Amino acid sequence: MYFCRNFRDGHHSENKMKKILTAFFAFLALMFSCKGNKTETGDSLPTDSDSIKDTAVVDTMEQLISETPMPKAADELFDDFFFNFAANRKLQIERTSFPLPVEKAGKTDTIGKAQWKTDRFFMRQGYYTLIFDNHRQMNVVKDTTVNHVVVEKIHLNIKTVKSYVFNRVNGLWKLTSISYKGIHENRNASFLKFYHQFVTDSTFQAESISNPMEFIGPDPDDDFSQMEGLLTPETWPAFAPELPNDMIYNIIYGEDSKPGQQRIFVIRGIANGLEMELTFKRENSKWMLTKLSE
């Protein structure tokens, strides 16, 4: 293992690294405490994360949201609207355009209000995931001029993406359609194929780590500082976080852009404000993990 300028030399540096990794794993334990529960299936597709055990914090937050009328200002930012939409059954019915078009296998059917089943999306698993091309793209999340958003529920095992299309109509966000497509049709097809193997094949994962790989996290001795280090493929297995390997989410804000040679995979806590970023870059037609930051 290598250490950057923010680490002190010698034994103290190693102890600091152990402290930050302890804090880092505590974060991961909280984020993925629900792992291990299998998703239930109703039709040909797994339902979603409803079968995953709630955390007390998220469950309480969901109840508060459902009992509180959504303020008009929540329609300015999609995220503010969406958390209300996912937690509030009444709002979900009000903000879905029925009969709702549903495209599957090249055919379009519709769902009526009476057929709709409340979808909690990722609310009950305590975290959600996002895939960005770069950090500049991440700022679009705060753009109040965005009027079109697609929430993707990505089933890695069955290679299917369920896309929920939202549009802002007369100032109000509404779910306007749903579609099912194969992962191979997705803008992130190459990365998703890689990611699934990365999280299910330890040998492949070790071969997909840059040498060295950058590591950034909070300094346990100073709440206002960051620590930086470099990990090698040999030391990576001891520090590798547990990543979701069955179903993940992605949210596309605004019109889709041409994909580049980098992906920032973000795991974001719902109730605790914690976040982890894994940066992957495509080098010589092969995706490599180049940076892990908390």
Side-chain angles (χ1 to χ4, degrees):
M1 180 179 296
Y2 302 89
F3 296 97
C4 290
R5 62 182 181 281
N6 286 355
F7 287 118
R8 298 188 184 97
D9 293 333
H11 181 69
H12 184 60
S13 297
E14 186 172 353
N15 287 337
K16 291 189 74 177
M17 183 54 135
K18 289 180 179 179
K19 287 181 181 179
I20 186 173
L21 289 170
T22 299
F24 181 65
F25 286 129
F27 158 66
L28 291 174
L30 176 62
M31 295 283 274
F32 300 108
S33 60
C34 54
K35 182 176 174 57
N37 296 296
K38 296 182 180 179
T39 55
E40 300 173 356
T41 56
D43 50 23
S44 59
L45 286 175
T47 51
D48 63 1
S49 55
D50 279 359
S51 61
I52 300 178
K53 184 178 179 181
D54 305 12
T55 64
V57 175
V58 173
D59 192 52
T60 301
M61 182 180 68
E62 183 178 319
Q63 181 178 353
L64 290 173
I65 292 175
S66 64
E67 294 174 351
T68 305
M70 187 181 79
K72 292 182 179 180
D75 273 304
E76 293 184 7
L77 285 176
F78 177 78
D79 282 9
D80 292 342
F81 156 76
F82 188 72
F83 281 102
N84 281 275
F85 181 85
N88 190 326
R89 173 178 170 77
K90 181 180 179 181
L91 180 67
Q92 200 164 118
I93 294 295
E94 292 174 352
R95 293 299 187 89
T96 299
S97 298
F98 293 111
L100 183 70
V102 179
E103 180 187 352
K104 189 174 184 180
K107 298 180 180 180
T108 301
D109 293 320
T110 58
I111 293 178
K113 186 180 297 186
Q115 299 170 288
W116 180 256
K117 294 182 180 179
T118 304
D119 195 328
R120 299 301 185 187
F121 296 92
F122 43 69
M123 289 296 291
R124 295 186 177 179
Q125 66 185 27
Y127 70 95
Y128 62 107
T129 56
L130 298 159
I131 304 172
F132 296 103
D133 291 342
N134 50 59
H135 282 91
R136 184 182 68 256
Q137 193 179 75
M138 295 172 69
N139 295 328
V140 179
V141 174
K142 302 176 182 179
D143 188 349
T144 58
T145 66
V146 170
N147 293 313
H148 175 81
V149 172
V150 178
V151 176
E152 296 180 325
K153 187 183 293 185
I154 303 168
H155 298 276
L156 297 168
N157 287 338
I158 59 174
K159 299 178 175 59
T160 301
V161 179
K162 184 177 182 180
S163 298
Y164 301 76
V165 180
F166 292 85
N167 288 290
R168 186 151 46 183
V169 182
N170 297 324
L172 303 178
W173 282 106
K174 289 191 174 183
L175 174 62
T176 57
S177 67
I178 291 176
S179 70
Y180 293 85
K181 293 185 178 180
I183 281 182
H184 67 280
E185 300 177 80
N186 193 270
R187 76 182 299 274
N188 290 312
S190 171
F191 174 73
L192 291 173
K193 179 181 179 181
F194 158 81
Y195 174 82
H196 191 214
Q197 187 172 1
F198 182 85
V199 296
T200 56
D201 184 336
S202 59
T203 301
F204 179 78
Q205 184 175 120
E207 295 171 349
S208 303
I209 304 298
S210 289
N211 189 13
M213 186 198 76
E214 186 177 0
F215 176 86
I216 300 176
D219 188 334
D221 295 335
D222 186 346
D223 293 338
F224 302 99
S225 298
Q226 290 286 105
M227 297 177 66
E228 300 181 11
L230 295 175
L231 301 177
T232 66
E234 291 74 25
T235 56
W236 166 254
F239 307 128
E242 189 172 7
L243 301 170
N245 58 24
D246 181 10
M247 187 186 70
I248 60 175
Y249 282 87
N250 185 35
I251 303 178
I252 302 172
Y253 300 85
E255 297 301 323
D256 212 347
S257 59
K258 184 178 180 180
Q261 301 300 307
Q262 175 180 271
R263 293 293 186 279
I264 301 173
F265 185 75
V266 178
I267 302 175
R268 186 170 289 171
I270 292 176
N272 51 34
L274 297 176
E275 183 167 307
M276 179 173 64
E277 295 180 12
L278 293 92
T279 301
F280 297 87
K281 293 185 179 180
R282 198 171 188 179
E283 304 171 354
N284 299 321
S285 300
K286 177 177 173 59
W287 289 100
M288 300 290 290
L289 177 60
T290 61
K291 182 179 179 181
L292 172 64
S293 60
E294 177 189 348

